[in-house]
Amino acid sequence: MTELLERAIAQLKTLSAEEQDAIAARLLTELEDERAWKAQFEATTDAQWDSLAEMVRQEIAAGDITPLTDVFPSKP
């Protein structure tokens, strides 16, 4: 176990059982989500990646995009 994880667990131990369970449930959900994403990425074929890239190129060419500055505006 890493030092960082040990520190996190030490802090979790100071919480109530209800708070510990709530955080544990979130962590378990996050771990399952990561496993699912990893499996999906590993199962994606080169042809599927190529198809996705072509779709993006077509959207860009058609102007059907949102600039990143609109999605993530810089701080004034």
Side-chain angles (χ1 to χ4, degrees):
M1 186 179 309
T2 68
E3 181 181 329
L4 182 60
L5 185 55
E6 287 177 358
R7 286 180 24 217
I9 290 172
Q11 288 186 21
L12 288 170
K13 287 180 180 180
T14 67
L15 303 175
S16 70
E18 190 174 274
E19 290 171 309
Q20 288 180 26
D21 283 348
I23 292 171
R26 288 185 359 217
L27 286 171
L28 290 170
T29 299
E30 183 67 25
L31 289 170
E32 181 54 38
D33 188 54
E34 285 299 316
R35 278 191 283 273
W37 274 106
K38 183 178 180 183
Q40 191 164 359
F41 276 116
E42 289 174 352
T44 303
T45 66
D46 287 343
Q48 289 170 317
W49 287 118
D50 292 343
S51 176
L52 181 61
E54 182 56 32
M55 287 172 40
V56 171
R57 284 187 204 97
Q58 289 175 6
E59 288 177 3
I60 292 170
D64 189 21
I65 58 170
T66 302
L68 283 178
T69 54
D70 290 353
V71 178
F72 302 106
S74 60
K75 296 179 181 178

